[in-house]
Amino acid sequence: MAADTNVPPGVAKAREALKDVPHEPGAKKKDPILVADKVVRRFGGLTAVQVDHIEIQRGAITALIGPNGAGKTTFFNLLTGFDKPNEGNWTFNNDPLAGVPPYKVARKGMVRTFQLTKALSRLSVIDNMRLGATGQKGESFWQGLIPALWKSQEEEITKRADELLVRFKLDAKRGDFAGSLSGGQRKLLEMARALMVQPDMVMLDEPMAGVNPALTQSLLGHVKSLREDGMTVLFVEHDMDMVRDISDWVIVMGQGQVIAEGTPDTVMADPRVIDAYLGAHHDGTAHDSAEVAAEVEGGKSDE
Amino acid sequence: MNFEVIAGVSLESLINAQMIAYALAAIGLNVHFGYTGLLNFGQSAFLGVAAYGLAMTVATFGLPFWLGLIVGLLSAVVLALLLGVPTLRLRADYLAIVTIAAAEIVRLLFRYFSEYTGGSDGLQAFSDDFYAMNPYGSALEIGNLISFSARELWIMTVGWVLIAISVTIVLFAMRSPWGRVIKAIREDEDAVRSLGKNVVSYKMQALVLGGVLGSLGGYVIALGNAAVQPDTFGTEFTFYAYAIVILGGAARVFGPVAGSMIFWFLLAFVNATLPEAIRAGYIPTWLMTETQAGAVQYILVGLGLMLLLIFRPQGLFGDKKEVMLDGR
Ligand SMILES: Nc1ncnc2c1ncn2[C@@H]1O[C@H](COP(=O)(O)OP(=O)(O)OP(=O)(O)O)[C@@H](O)[C@H]1O
Ligand SMILES: [Mg+2]
């Protein structure tokens, strides 16, 4: 670990909070912002999600990883109200959230992005951003008809939006239709738009997929700064370097269940995790990229 | 050929009551379809309930004219709620099916309750109070070209004021943050939900707004004809309104007005030109007789709309760039 002398306060706080947390599935956290119990979602015969217990530490960056089809996106959908579980309960800031519609979940301060990006194509980039702001007076029909009632608030919102656009390198696209953005730019826009809500917790579903490496670095910096602002971040990601770089805690899902938890280093050395990713026949030694490539080759030739 | 007649009827149809009624229907439909992305195929029902609300209040129950106007507007609001509550949570196509069925039910109810609605003959004698307010003393004649009676002038004046009010409301609403949410819902409901907006409530507001604006067209039809009949409010009414919205360009504030003007101008022009051309021998009778000309005008207008959609999918006033984004 880096020398503790120049660790930013947010990181230090997160480390301190997670210091004594046991490295096991469903571990209790010191100050959880989100607690879920027995959340089950079945699609016909397939149990996509079966999470017994999970806690997300407030103010920390938690990564949710797992192989394709592990149930990460489905779990996000359940937590944010976009999908209904067959059973289960969860609380956010001690508010029970089961059965709460998505828009109310967002208003309570838990905002998510989508794996399949949802840019609002025929709205300009800046309007996409402005839409994210909550508590807008002009969003009621009658008040909206009288610009004097919302002009000043609109200016504040626009200012905040412009700052974020600069941060996400989208300021040059400000007036363009969001539909004209590239795939990576849409990811960026969606993340920036979610931040316009000023949530307590953001849930990012593969935020960096398709974003170029140079920009990834600056975005990682941005995500880290969210932690310094006291925001909680839960994100799904397949890029292990990124997970290692920014997360304080890692939760691993496999076949709908939480199979491991811990700090990035311990989790990635965990044989169960490697098995989940590479198949049960793996011998559990530390893996390198050549080995993974060999596995993939082998899988392909089976077909 | 009598060019004066052709020019006269064509020009009249640019500004007459029929064009106004369809423009209002299309302004409302544009709120539904163009801005919110709601596939409402029952716009005619909104005009119908407003027209009958007015006519029945006055002619059937003998109550005052102004009360009839209120009843008509309330009926449009109630219809929007009845349509919206069960369907707005479902996928967009369900609204289309429900609204097309609901509009037919509404029309058939006008026939069914003949004791109150006059059945298929409809109702008359409810517009006296309206024409008693007519400030115009005489008809308007411009050469041999255009002539409007004093009654026509009065309904046209009121109609254009209603258009001006409706367009202003849409203009302001769609420039506001409210309109931003509405347009965002058209693009992707779930994204809007994820940002904390109550999508169902906004869709309901849009359904009511578009229904109420459209229902103003029902008043124009009822008062312009001084009569209401159930079959005025059939499904083809809604289809014309759609043609007008698309012709003008969806999600353009003035699109429906311009669309309605062009639609009725072209129909009137073709309708007046074809028989004249046949009589004058420009079109041989083996190709088309005068009686066939009536059908041909709709064929031509249909062809024109197809060409428009192929070569100008954004409509006459839309933004091509915007429409092309859909392809991604
Ligand atoms: N609507 C659905 N109907 C049926 N099965 C579904 C549905 N949504 C997800 N599933 C199934 O649930 C399982 C979990 O899917 P999910 O999208 O949550 O995976 P994931 O962990 O997000 O994967 P990835 O990393 O590839 O995004 C998969 O087997 C998938 O096929
Ligand atoms: Mg996923």
Side-chain angles (χ1 to χ4, degrees):
Chain A
M1 292 246 159
D4 276 8
T5 46
N6 49 15
V7 168
V11 181
K13 233 174 103 189
R15 276 190 198 157
E16 171 63 27
L18 290 164
K19 195 176 58 179
D20 300 323
V21 176
H23 290 197
E24 60 186 31
K28 296 244 180 305
K29 308 292 184 309
K30 238 183 191 164
D31 179 18
I33 188 167
L34 179 81
V35 180
D37 275 302
K38 304 239 172 336
V39 178
V40 179
R41 176 66 166 115
R42 296 186 202 93
F43 294 111
L46 173 90
T47 305
V49 168
Q50 188 171 18
V51 171
D52 271 343
H53 186 79
I54 205 171
E55 296 188 1
I56 307 294
Q57 171 62 36
R58 187 189 309 276
I61 300 180
T62 305
L64 183 62
I65 66 170
N68 292 122
K72 305 179 295 291
T73 299
T74 308
F75 191 47
F76 265 31
N77 289 345
L78 295 172
L79 291 179
T80 49
F82 282 88
D83 193 5
K84 301 260 173 296
N86 296 88
E87 42 190 279
N89 281 298
W90 60 100
T91 61
F92 177 73
N93 277 330
N94 297 322
D95 279 343
L97 273 196
V100 175
Y103 79 93
K104 284 193 182 153
V105 173
R107 285 186 193 173
K108 283 177 190 280
M110 183 159 112
V111 171
R112 58 91 54 97
T113 66
F114 295 87
Q115 181 171 7
L116 298 174
T117 331
K118 295 186 183 296
L120 304 164
S121 295
R122 286 181 287 172
L123 257 58
S124 65
V125 167
I126 186 72
D127 269 348
N128 265 265
M129 294 293 290
R130 287 179 183 134
L131 185 73
T134 48
Q136 296 191 45
K137 295 193 200 97
E139 284 186 355
S140 104
F141 176 72
W142 296 109
Q143 296 190 51
L145 291 177
I146 306 163
L149 292 179
W150 48 264
K151 267 285 182 271
S152 68
Q153 192 187 22
E154 181 89 347
E155 276 162 27
E156 281 166 38
I157 290 168
T158 306
K159 190 161 155 279
R160 200 149 59 77
D162 276 323
E163 284 166 12
L164 276 169
L165 285 180
V166 171
R167 207 122 152 216
F168 282 76
K169 306 264 188 300
L170 285 172
D171 44 328
K173 296 280 175 189
R174 187 182 194 276
D176 294 5
F177 284 124
S180 73
L181 297 182
S182 74
Q185 288 169 329
R186 289 174 194 216
K187 280 264 160 195
L188 298 177
L189 175 61
E190 190 170 301
M191 191 168 153
R193 193 176 62 198
L195 295 178
M196 283 297 292
V197 185
Q198 297 183 309
D200 292 340
M201 172 163 152
V202 277
M203 302 172 58
L204 309 169
D205 200 345
E206 305 202 12
M208 299 303 166
V211 176
N212 87 60
L215 192 49
T216 308
Q217 278 314 312
S218 89
L219 282 182
L220 292 187
H222 187 69
V223 174
K224 287 179 191 167
S225 77
L226 295 179
R227 173 176 50 192
E228 298 307 318
D229 299 340
M231 209 182 280
T232 309
V233 181
L234 177 65
F235 73 104
V236 172
E237 189 53 67
H238 287 295
D239 177 351
M240 289 307 141
D241 290 331
M242 172 177 166
V243 171
R244 204 187 295 269
D245 181 8
I246 69 167
S247 45
D248 303 304
W249 194 256
V250 180
I251 298 174
V252 190
M253 280 182 81
Q255 299 182 343
Q257 296 175 327
V258 177
I259 56 171
E261 272 195 46
T263 54
D265 294 322
T266 51
V267 160
M268 283 176 203
D270 188 329
R272 280 172 302 183
V273 176
I274 297 162
D275 282 352
Y277 267 91
L278 298 176
H281 59 282
H282 196 273
D283 60 9
T285 52
H287 60 296
D288 60 35
S289 51
E291 222 177 312
V292 173
E295 288 281 352
V296 172
E297 288 295 328
K300 266 187 191 149
S301 59
D302 283 348
E303 293 174 10
Chain B
M1 285 187 28
N2 189 343
F3 290 103
E4 264 185 355
V5 170
I6 294 174
V9 294
S10 306
L11 289 176
E12 279 174 13
S13 64
L14 279 175
I15 51 171
N16 67 11
Q18 171 168 259
M19 173 270 150
I20 293 168
Y22 276 84
L24 287 165
I27 290 169
L29 194 60
N30 197 28
V31 171
H32 295 151
F33 169 73
Y35 288 104
T36 325
L38 296 173
L39 285 173
N40 167 24
F41 278 102
Q43 187 68 343
S44 61
F46 286 102
L47 286 89
V49 295
Y52 269 88
L54 170 64
M56 285 166 66
T57 306
V58 178
T60 311
F61 298 104
L63 296 166
F65 177 76
W66 60 266
L67 192 66
L69 293 178
I70 294 172
V71 168
L73 281 183
L74 285 181
S75 312
V77 173
V78 170
L79 179 65
L81 297 177
L82 284 178
L83 287 179
V85 166
T87 55
L88 287 181
R89 282 168 208 280
L90 304 173
R91 250 179 28 212
D93 15 1
Y94 289 86
L95 185 72
I97 298 165
V98 170
T99 48
I100 203 168
E104 277 303 277
I105 292 173
V106 166
R107 184 176 68 86
L108 293 170
L109 287 177
F110 292 153
R111 285 169 161 261
Y112 181 77
F113 289 106
S114 49
E115 211 177 310
Y116 304 101
T117 62
S120 53
D121 293 336
L123 294 168
Q124 298 82 29
F126 54 83
S127 51
D128 294 347
D129 284 0
F130 175 72
Y131 287 108
M133 290 184 276
N134 187 355
Y136 297 104
S138 59
L140 173 78
E141 309 264 355
I142 304 178
N144 289 330
L145 218 53
I146 291 173
S147 85
F148 287 114
S149 70
R151 283 166 71 95
E152 284 175 315
L153 287 176
W154 178 220
I155 186 71
M156 282 161 58
T157 307
V158 172
W160 276 101
V161 169
L162 291 177
I163 286 183
I165 294 171
S166 303
V167 163
T168 310
I169 291 174
V170 173
L171 186 69
F172 274 80
M174 293 308 162
R175 279 190 184 169
S176 74
W178 183 85
R180 186 160 63 215
V181 178
I182 290 294
K183 286 180 267 183
I185 288 172
R186 173 190 68 196
E187 299 301 308
D188 193 316
E189 285 182 22
D190 278 344
V192 180
R193 285 199 176 91
S194 77
L195 298 170
K197 321 288 177 198
N198 186 349
V199 168
V200 174
S201 159
Y202 278 100
K203 287 207 283 193
M204 184 59 93
Q205 293 170 38
L207 194 62
V208 171
L209 175 65
V212 166
L213 293 179
S215 74
L216 300 177
Y219 293 147
V220 174
I221 291 180
L223 295 171
N225 299 339
V228 290
Q229 273 146 3
D231 293 347
T232 315
F233 306 103
T235 43
E236 71 185 30
F237 184 100
T238 303
F239 293 138
Y240 289 175
Y242 261 100
I244 286 166
V245 169
I246 291 164
L247 185 64
R252 299 283 129 184
V253 173
F254 292 98
V257 183
S260 185
M261 291 171 94
I262 295 165
F263 184 84
W264 291 110
F265 177 85
L266 288 179
L267 263 183
F269 178 79
V270 174
N271 197 21
T273 309
L274 286 180
E276 288 280 341
I278 292 166
R279 246 175 273 145
Y282 294 124
I283 299 176
T285 43
W286 57 261
L287 188 65
M288 192 193 306
T289 63
E290 267 186 67
T291 41
Q292 287 170 321
V296 170
Q297 61 164 330
Y298 285 103
I299 295 175
L300 288 178
V301 170
L303 276 176
L305 274 172
M306 284 164 66
L307 291 175
L308 176 89
L309 283 180
I310 292 166
F311 293 105
R312 256 192 100 77
Q314 71 273 36
L316 293 172
F317 303 99
D319 179 347
K320 176 118 189 191
K321 232 175 42 199
E322 196 175 320
V323 173
M324 287 301 142
L325 289 173
D326 278 355
R328 293 176 64 120

